C-alpha cells in the first residue's frame, strides 16, 4: 500500500476539523495539500445537534442539514465542497499509531499517511459505565451520545420503545438536554445524578433550582445524591431495570448515560508535552513538537484573560481554536505574526423553551437577579460572579441576542462592583451600561 503524503493533515473530523478546513480554504490552500482523516463515515458536522434537534419527533435535523459551519451562521460545507477545494476527506479511517518524530500516521487498516504539518483535533471520547465495571452496563439499549452513529441507534430505540420509560444517568449537559428530548418524545423520564444539584461545575444552587423545578413541572423525575450501580436485563439482553446505590430500582426501556468525556490524547502520549489532562500548547496552538498543533477538547492553552492554562470542552472553543491554529500556520509560513488567542469562555444550552448563556469564569461570590420562579410563564433571570470587587462571570436565561452580547461584554471588561445589593436591583440594566 503506497504511502499518502500531504503538506497538512488534520487528524479528527469533528467540529474543529471542519472549521480548520474552512480556514485553510480562506487562506488559499492548494489542491492536494490538505487531508482530513476521520474515523466517522460522514463529513464534519455540528455535534451539538445530536443531543437536540436530531432527536426531535417532529421535523428532526438530519444531514446534510447541519454540516459545519452552519452552527455559527457560516456556509454549509457539504462533501462536494471539500472536493471542489481539493481537500482530501479520508473518512471511516481510524488512526491507531502516530510517530511525531517521523511525521507519520498509521491507520487501523495499515495505511501510512505522511505530513509536514499536523493539527491534532481528535476531540473526546465518552466515559462509559463499563469502564468502571458496573454490573450489566453492557446491556442493549444503554446509550452514549458522541457521534452520529450513536444518535442513529438512539433514534431507532426511541421509535421501537414508543412512550416507554427512560432513565438518564448524569446531571450535566447531556443529562439535561437528553431528559428534555426524551420527554418531548413522550417518554416517562427519570434523571439520576450523585451531586446535590444539576450542572454543578457551572450552576449555583439557585440557578440549578430553577432548571430542576422546570423539569419537574414537565413531569421529569429527578433523583439526586445517588448513582447507578447495576442493570438487570430481559432474556433478549435489553435493559430492564436500573439499580441505584441507595437501593431504589427504576424500570427502564432506554438508558442514556452522560457522565463526561476524556480527551483523546493516547496516540501522542510520551511524544508531546501534556498538562491538565490535555496537550500543552501556546497561544497559537503550537505544541512542544515542531509543526504539530492541537486544538479543541485536547488542547491545554493559555487563557490570557485569567493568566492560566486551561482545557475547555465546548463547541465554541473548538471552532475558534481551529481557526486560530490555521491562521498561525499560514502567518508563520509568510513570516508574519498574529495576535495570541484571547478567549472568553462561553457555554450555552437549549432545552424545552429555555435557553441560557454563560460567559467568563464562575469564581467568587454570586448575585442572582430577575425572575427565577420555575412556574413563571416567561422566566428571565441571571447571575453575576464577583471576585476581588470585579465581575468575572455572567449567566443569563431567556436573554435576547443584544442582552447576551451585553453580559459577554461584562465578563470580558470585568467592571468593578461597589455594592452587590445595588447590582441585584439593577440586574441586566448594569450590563447594558457597560
Amino acid at each position: 500500500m503506497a504511502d499518502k503524503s500531504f503538506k497538512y493533515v488534520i487528524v479528527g473530523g469533528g467540529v474543529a476539523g471542519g472549521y480548520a478546513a474552512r480556514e485553510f480554504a480562506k487562506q488559499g490552500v492548494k489542491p492536494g495539500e490538505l487531508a482530513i482523516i476521520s474515523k466517522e463515515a460522514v463529513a464534519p458536522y455540528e455535534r451539538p445537534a445530536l443531543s437536540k434537534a436530531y432527536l426531535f419527533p417532529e421535523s428532526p435535523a438530519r444531514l446534510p442539514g447541519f454540516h459545519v459551519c452552519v452552527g455559527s451562521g457560516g456556509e454549509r460545507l457539504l462533501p462536494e465542497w471539500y472536493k471542489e477545494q481539493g481537500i482530501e476527506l479520508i473518512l471511516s479511517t481510524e488512526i491507531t499509531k502516530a510517530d511525531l518524530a517521523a511525521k507519520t500516521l498509521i491507520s487501523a487498516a495499515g495505511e501510512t499517511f505522511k505530513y509536514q504539518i499536523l493539527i491534532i483535533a481528535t476531540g473526546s471520547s465518552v466515559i462509559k459505565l463499563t469502564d468502571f465495571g458496573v454490573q450489566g452496563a453492557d446491556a442493549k439499549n444503554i446509550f452514549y451520545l458522541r457521534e452520529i452513529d450513536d444518535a442513529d441507534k438512539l433514534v431507532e430505540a426511541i421509535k421501537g420503545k414508543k412512550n416507554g420509560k427512560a432513565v438518564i444517568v448524569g446531571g450535566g449537559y447531556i443529562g439535561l438536554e437528553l431528559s428534555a428530548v426524551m420527554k418531548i418524545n413522550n417518554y416517562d423520564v427519570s434523571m439520576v445524578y450523585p451531586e446535590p444539584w444539576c450542572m454543578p461545575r457551572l450552576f449555583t444552587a439557585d440557578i440549578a433550582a430553577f432548571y430542576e423545578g422546570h423539569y419537574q413541572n414537565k413531569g421529569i423525575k429527578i433523583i439526586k445524591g445517588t448513582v447507578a450501580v447495576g442493570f438487570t436485563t430481559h432474556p433478549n439482553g435489553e435493559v430492564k431495570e436500573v439499580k441505584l446505590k441507595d437501593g431504589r430500582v427504576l424500570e427502564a426501556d432506554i438508558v442514556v448515560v452522560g457522565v463526561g468525556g476524556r480527551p483523546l490524547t493516547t496516540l501522542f502520549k510520551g511524544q508531546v508535552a501534556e498538562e491538565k489532562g490535555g496537550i500543552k500548547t501556546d497561544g497559537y496552538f503550537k505544541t512542544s513538537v515542531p509543526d504539530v498543533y492541537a486544538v479543541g477538547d485536547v488542547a491545554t492553552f493559555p487563557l490570557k484573560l485569567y493568566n492560566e492554562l486551561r482545557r475547555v470542552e465546548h463547541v465554541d472553543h473548538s471552532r475558534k481554536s481551529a481557526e486560530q491554529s490555521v491562521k498561525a500556520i499560514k502567518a508563520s509560513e509568510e513570516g508574519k505574526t498574529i495576535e495570541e488567542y484571547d478567549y472568553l469562555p462561553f457555554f450555552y444550552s437549549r432545552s424545552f423553551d429555555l435557553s441560557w448563556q454563560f460567559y467568563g469564569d464562575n469564581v467568587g461570590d454570586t448575585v442572582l437577579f430577575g425572575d427565577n420562579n420555575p412556574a413563571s410563564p416567561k422566566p428571565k433571570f441571571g447571575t453575576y460572579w464577583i471576585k476581588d470587587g470585579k465581575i468575572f462571570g455572567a449567566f443569563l436565561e431567556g436573554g435576547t441576542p443584544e442582552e447576551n452580547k451585553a453580559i459577554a461584554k461584562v465578563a470580558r471588561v470585568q467592571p468593578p462592583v461597589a455594592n452587590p445589593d445595588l447590582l441585584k436591583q439593577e440586574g441586566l440594566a448594569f450590563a447594558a451600561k457597560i
Side-chain angles (χ1 to χ4, degrees), residues 203-232:
F203 287 0
T204 62
D206 286 332
I207 294 173
F210 166 79
Y211 293 99
E212 289 174 353
H214 190 89
Y215 275 47
Q216 283 163 331
N217 291 345
K218 294 278 187 188
I220 293 169
K221 295 181 223 29
I222 293 178
I223 300 164
K224 300 187 273 190
T226 191
V227 292
V229 291
F231 300 90
T232 63

Side-chain angles (χ1 to χ4, degrees), residues 6 18 48 54 57 73 98 100 125 139 195 198 223 236 269 301 310 312 324 328-329 400 426:
F6 301 93
Y54 200 82
L100 299 184
S125 64
E195 299 89 357
C198 63
I223 300 164
N236 66 0
K269 284 259 182 272
F301 64 96
R310 199 176 286 189
V312 174
Q324 172 76 352
I329 288 165
T400 63
E426 281 191 272

Side-chain angles (χ1 to χ4, degrees), residues 262-265 269 274-279 297-300 311:
R262 283 193 191 97
L264 285 165
T265 58
K269 284 259 182 272
E274 293 191 52
E275 190 136 345
K276 295 187 175 177
I279 296 168
D297 288 4
V298 297
T300 300
R311 202 173 63 76

Side-chain angles (χ1 to χ4, degrees), residues 88-378:
E88 191 145 348
L89 198 53
I90 302 166
L91 302 175
S92 304
T93 301
E94 186 174 4
I95 297 300
T96 51
K97 187 171 187 294
D99 185 336
L100 299 184
K103 296 192 167 187
T104 300
L105 305 170
I106 297 170
S107 75
E111 299 159 291
T112 299
F113 302 95
K114 299 259 185 194
Y115 62 82
Q116 291 173 40
I117 293 173
L118 178 69
I119 298 179
I120 299 168
T122 41
S124 295
S125 64
V126 293
I127 293 170
K128 297 192 170 183
L129 297 182
T130 45
D131 300 347
F132 309 111
V134 174
Q135 181 200 358
D138 54 355
K140 291 179 194 162
N141 291 343
I142 297 178
F143 297 96
Y144 300 84
L145 198 56
R146 176 70 197 172
E147 297 177 354
I148 204 155
D149 275 0
D150 302 326
D152 285 338
K153 288 172 189 157
L154 180 53
V155 166
E156 282 311 301
I158 289 169
K159 288 176 184 165
K161 299 290 180 185
K162 245 186 172 35
N163 310 333
K165 289 183 163 66
V167 175
I168 312 298
V169 177
Y173 261 109
I174 292 291
L176 286 167
E177 292 181 358
L178 262 293
S179 293
V181 94
M182 293 305 286
K183 195 70 205 169
I184 292 165
N185 277 284
N186 205 31
Y187 270 67
D188 178 309
V189 181
S190 299
M191 268 183 98
V192 179
Y193 46 93
E195 299 89 357
W197 61 77
C198 63
M199 285 283 287
R201 286 197 333 204
L202 175 59
F203 287 0
T204 62
D206 286 332
I207 294 173
F210 166 79
Y211 293 99
E212 289 174 353
H214 190 89
Y215 275 47
Q216 283 163 331
N217 291 345
K218 294 278 187 188
I220 293 169
K221 295 181 223 29
I222 293 178
I223 300 164
K224 300 187 273 190
T226 191
V227 292
V229 291
F231 300 90
T232 63
T233 55
H234 293 286
N236 66 0
E238 290 181 356
V239 70
K240 180 184 179 186
E241 295 164 328
V242 184
K243 294 193 276 190
L244 304 184
K245 195 174 184 179
D246 66 8
R248 278 184 274 187
V249 177
L250 307 175
E251 286 179 43
D253 298 299
I254 289 176
V255 174
V256 185
V257 181
V259 291
R262 283 193 191 97
L264 285 165
T265 58
T266 317
L267 279 173
F268 313 101
K269 284 259 182 272
Q271 302 184 67
V272 63
E274 293 191 52
E275 190 136 345
K276 295 187 175 177
I279 296 168
K280 189 180 179 183
T281 77
D282 64 10
Y284 307 100
F285 296 98
K286 276 158 71 173
T287 70
S288 61
V289 178
D291 301 325
V292 177
Y293 294 72
V295 297
D297 288 4
V298 297
T300 300
F301 64 96
L303 193 52
K304 201 171 167 182
L305 194 58
Y306 308 124
N307 195 27
E308 66 173 66
L309 287 170
R310 199 176 286 189
R311 202 173 63 76
V312 174
E313 291 179 6
H314 198 267
V315 66
D316 180 62
H317 164 66
S318 288
R319 293 167 179 153
K320 289 174 178 166
S321 59
E323 290 168 348
Q324 172 76 352
S325 70
V326 177
K327 285 174 185 162
I329 288 165
K330 285 298 183 182
S332 71
E333 287 175 351
E334 292 162 10
K336 295 177 182 167
T337 54
I338 60 166
E339 291 288 312
E340 273 192 297
Y341 194 58
D342 187 8
Y343 187 61
L344 175 67
F346 166 51
F347 300 94
Y348 70 87
S349 185
R350 294 186 298 274
S351 56
F352 296 120
D353 46 359
L354 304 174
S355 173
W356 59 261
Q357 295 196 4
F358 167 84
Y359 294 90
D361 212 9
N362 57 331
V363 292
D365 299 320
T366 56
V367 170
L368 178 76
F369 61 85
D371 174 14
N372 71 329
N373 181 349
S376 292
K378 272 213 179 286

Side-chain angles (χ1 to χ4, degrees), residues 367-429:
V367 170
L368 178 76
F369 61 85
D371 174 14
N372 71 329
N373 181 349
S376 292
K378 272 213 179 286
K380 186 172 188 169
F381 70 96
T383 294
Y384 294 118
W385 279 259
I386 303 163
K387 182 185 166 196
D388 302 332
K390 295 188 295 190
I391 291 183
F392 267 67
F395 173 98
L396 185 61
E397 164 61 49
T400 63
E402 293 73 28
E403 288 164 342
N404 287 327
K405 268 188 196 141
I407 66 157
K409 192 176 177 188
V410 165
R412 168 70 76 183
V413 173
Q414 298 180 357
V417 172
N419 184 340
D421 293 333
L422 189 60
L423 182 64
K424 186 178 178 66
Q425 286 166 21
E426 281 191 272
L428 257 180

